[in-house]
Amino acid sequence: MARKGSRKVRTGCLTCKARKVKCDEAKPHCNRCINTGRPCDGYASAPTPGLLWHRPRQLFQSVDKPNELRSLQFFCEKTAQFLSGATDPYFWTHLVVQFSNFEPAVRHSVVAISSLYEQFQAESASHSGVQLRDNSLALQHYNAAIRELKTTDNQPLVLLVCILFVCIEFLQSNREAAIKHCKHGIALLEHVNYSWAREHLVPVFRRLSVFPFFFGHGSHEFPDLASLDQPLPTSFNTWTDAQLAMDNIMSRTLQVVRGGDPYRFGSLRYQKVPPERLVEQENVGRLLEEWEILFKGLGIGSTLPVTPSTENYKLGTDFLQLMSHVILSVRYEVCRIWLDMAFEPDEMCCDSYLTGFRRILDACLVLDSAIPKGSRLPTAKRDPQFIFETGFMPILHGVATKCRDLSMRLEALRLLTELGVPRENLWGVDQIYAIARRVIEIEHGVTLDESGQPTTPPLYPNFPPDERRVRFTSTEPRSSVHTNIDGKEICGWTVGFIMPNDQGTIKIRTEFIAS
């Protein structure tokens, strides 16, 4: 006699679904998870109209070319799993994979990304970026994706492929093209009303909107954030709620900071700051205060999702809870400091934020100490070597270059190599470490070895004077080759250090820094 079945419940929390147990569906966190001491990952969003999901029994049935099929398989099994870093991989593992089954422009872009990613992983000793011109398969499919896009007026599809093109440029360390695609996509968002696109693509563009402010050379390369702005919710029910709000606040913070460049080290130093800029600074400051209150009310059970990266390094639930808190708390702290200093004409003001820098370092040190010994690997042996998202690198770089307490900034320098992925989109750990180390040497009059330890007594063991302080650094993510006085070719980066000259005028001091 056949066993009487029961109707399968599909609306439980994500944790109970993964464990294949019945969920009581309490909100915001189910009682079953709470009572068993498990973090409740909340509930999946309800399906939205306009996007039909389908999962064929065999992926990519229409593909018959072996090299293309192999790249698609590599993307599903490897690339898509790790591009998201510590954030939810759903965009890459589900959305992109699903679309690649029925949209040629997406499939061609995926093949290009997969092929470049595999090449990048194999060439881990050199992270200046792989190139399309050196990868015939990637180049062929990149061009095919462009041809497909020219034949469509489907704006959500264009937005999706725009994100994939940004990833392709990240892998090549192509700063200018990546910014161009990012700005174009954000501009298109204003005219897209598809609910699925706003649900799944806007969060990605909101996170992407940060990098042009770090790497852009002027306001012409900064995105317009109007289409990304959203009010703070009345409460944070999940870690993702807090993250989405912080993504928005961080972009607006950097917009204020880069808008203050002329007042900090440009032609408008000591000039009156326009009222509208000060109003925006105050508005973002209020958002930070409100965010902090909401974040403190977020339950400890809400954490980052379990991702392939955390599983790969056997990082358990306790570590995830810790990392979830650290990631957002240090972003809050650094935004608070950056925002307050946005229009300051000298660098001595940084010294009043030692407490904030200390909080950032302490949080990162706690996280560093919690990494299992078996999960610690040299930079060149870590997997993945590249992620699409931004992690700890810009925050720790900010501490190393703006905190003038020598012991603290040396600690930040060490943590860069411990907590940073070898490449976080355009942030290369070798390059960022080398630049931060050189800034410390210039400001303190000290020589540091490759491990970041002083080999000579510092000229300024305490706070360096304002005339020694670097205001800003500019460089390209892609490395170049320099011939030294002995005729030997050296790989590295040409870096501009914006700082006072002997007469006190802000000038660019250019140096070549070996990798």
Side-chain angles (χ1 to χ4, degrees):
M1 185 176 181
R3 181 167 60 95
K4 185 177 179 180
S6 60
R7 185 173 178 270
K8 187 173 181 180
V9 178
R10 299 180 181 275
T11 53
C13 78
L14 299 176
T15 303
C16 288
K17 278 184 174 182
R19 296 179 58 224
K20 299 180 180 179
V21 298
K22 183 174 176 59
C23 178
D24 57 58
E25 300 183 44
K27 303 290 179 65
H29 306 297
C30 85
N31 293 321
R32 180 159 197 152
C33 287
I34 293 172
N35 293 337
T36 56
R38 290 181 172 84
C40 180
D41 291 331
Y43 300 85
S45 302
T48 54
L51 178 63
L52 296 177
W53 296 102
H54 79 106
R55 181 175 290 278
R57 293 185 179 181
Q58 181 182 354
L59 292 173
F60 315 118
Q61 291 176 325
S62 62
V63 178
D64 55 6
K65 295 180 179 179
N67 57 355
E68 181 179 348
L69 191 58
R70 182 191 174 281
S71 285
L72 290 168
Q73 183 179 356
F74 184 85
F75 182 86
C76 293
E77 296 178 1
K78 185 83 171 181
T79 312
Q81 306 290 327
F82 291 105
L83 283 176
S84 60
T87 60
D88 191 337
Y90 184 88
F91 172 79
W92 297 100
T93 58
H94 289 71
L95 191 79
V96 172
V97 170
Q98 295 287 359
F99 266 85
S100 63
N101 276 282
F102 54 85
E103 289 292 354
V106 177
R107 186 176 72 252
H108 290 304
S109 300
V110 164
V111 172
I113 290 172
S114 181
S115 186
L116 289 172
Y117 181 90
E118 185 174 11
Q119 182 184 353
F120 192 100
Q121 292 285 111
E123 299 175 5
S124 58
S126 175
H127 284 137
S128 59
V130 292
Q131 298 299 311
L132 278 170
R133 63 175 178 268
D134 301 325
N135 188 317
S136 59
L137 179 66
L139 180 60
Q140 172 193 343
H141 285 274
Y142 176 73
N143 289 333
I146 293 175
R147 288 194 297 270
E148 291 289 344
L149 278 188
K150 290 180 178 179
T151 65
T152 184
D153 58 359
N154 184 333
Q155 291 299 302
L157 173 63
V158 173
L159 279 171
L160 176 57
V161 177
C162 190
I163 294 172
L164 303 184
F165 279 6
V166 171
C167 186
I168 289 171
E169 302 304 342
F170 280 165
L171 282 161
Q172 297 183 92
S173 297
N174 196 335
R175 179 197 66 84
E176 190 174 352
I179 289 175
K180 183 178 179 181
H181 287 310
C182 180
K183 281 189 64 181
H184 178 63
I186 291 173
L188 286 179
L189 280 174
E190 200 170 343
H191 310 290
V192 173
N193 295 318
Y194 288 81
S195 56
W196 74 264
R198 300 208 69 83
E199 178 183 354
H200 296 289
L201 302 186
V202 169
V204 180
F205 276 109
R206 191 175 285 119
R207 294 196 299 274
L208 275 178
S209 67
V210 169
F211 89 87
F213 292 111
F214 284 123
F215 293 94
H217 289 173
S219 58
H220 65 285
E221 292 190 319
F222 302 153
D224 183 352
L225 302 179
S227 61
L228 297 174
D229 196 24
Q230 65 174 13
L232 280 176
T234 55
S235 64
F236 293 152
N237 294 322
T238 66
W239 185 89
T240 301
D241 291 342
Q243 179 204 22
L244 290 172
M246 178 50 68
D247 291 337
N248 183 49
I249 292 173
M250 193 166 196
S251 294
R252 289 184 62 178
T253 298
L254 289 168
Q255 187 179 49
V256 172
V257 171
R258 292 307 307 269
D261 286 358
Y263 302 92
R264 289 197 316 282
F265 54 79
S267 59
L268 299 179
R269 283 184 81 206
Y270 302 107
Q271 299 296 311
K272 185 177 180 180
V273 180
E276 60 271 18
R277 292 193 180 275
L278 295 175
V279 167
E280 175 63 4
Q281 184 186 35
E282 291 175 5
N283 289 339
V284 179
R286 278 194 292 271
L287 283 176
L288 276 167
E289 292 171 1
E290 293 171 19
W291 183 93
E292 184 186 24
I293 294 171
L294 296 178
F295 184 59
K296 286 179 178 178
L298 183 62
I300 60 172
S302 182
T303 69
L304 282 158
V306 176
T307 67
S309 293
T310 55
E311 288 182 334
N312 187 47
Y313 288 104
K314 298 179 175 60
L315 304 175
T317 303
D318 291 343
F319 184 86
L320 273 178
Q321 288 183 343
L322 176 62
M323 185 163 68
S324 302
H325 186 270
V326 169
I327 284 176
L328 290 180
S329 61
V330 298
R331 289 177 73 189
Y332 164 80
E333 290 288 353
V334 80
C335 282
R336 182 80 270 173
I337 295 170
W338 286 341
L339 187 67
D340 287 351
M341 297 192 307
F343 303 108
E344 293 293 338
D346 65 60
E347 288 284 305
M348 301 303 287
C349 66
C350 297
D351 301 343
S352 61
Y353 295 98
L354 282 182
T355 302
F357 287 129
R358 183 75 263 171
R359 281 196 291 263
I360 293 172
L361 276 182
D362 286 346
C364 291
L365 284 167
V366 170
L367 184 64
D368 178 54
S369 66
I371 298 175
K373 289 184 178 180
S375 299
R376 293 184 181 274
L377 296 172
T379 303
K381 292 185 178 181
R382 291 179 194 168
D383 194 14
Q385 291 286 311
F386 170 89
I387 61 172
F388 180 77
E389 303 291 343
T390 302
F392 286 100
M393 228 181 290
I395 296 170
L396 288 169
H397 178 75
V399 177
T401 55
K402 291 301 178 183
C403 172
R404 268 60 184 219
D405 180 285
L406 183 57
S407 62
M408 290 171 64
R409 64 198 315 188
L410 292 180
E411 192 68 81
L413 198 62
R414 182 189 71 81
L415 287 168
L416 262 175
T417 61
E418 295 294 334
L419 300 182
V421 176
R423 266 284 300 279
E424 299 172 359
N425 50 65
L426 291 178
W427 293 90
V429 69
D430 292 343
Q431 180 189 37
I432 297 305
Y433 179 91
I435 292 173
R437 184 178 66 184
R438 185 60 186 136
V439 168
I440 296 170
E441 289 181 331
I442 291 171
E443 294 189 350
H444 288 276
V446 67
T447 301
L448 304 179
D449 61 21
E450 290 187 2
S451 66
Q453 292 304 305
T455 60
T456 60
L459 183 62
Y460 300 99
N462 298 313
F463 297 129
D466 188 58
E467 61 268 19
R468 297 278 302 200
R469 300 191 178 195
V470 176
R471 269 57 177 175
F472 193 72
T473 59
S474 63
T475 187
E476 289 290 334
R478 190 178 299 168
S479 63
S480 58
V481 176
H482 174 77
T483 304
N484 66 10
I485 57 175
D486 299 322
K488 183 181 178 181
E489 290 189 343
I490 303 173
C491 187
W493 306 272
T494 300
V495 182
F497 298 92
I498 300 173
M499 59 184 299
N501 61 11
D502 294 339
Q503 290 74 43
T505 304
I506 301 295
K507 295 290 184 180
I508 298 179
R509 168 177 169 173
T510 303
E511 293 185 15
F512 183 83
I513 300 178
S515 58

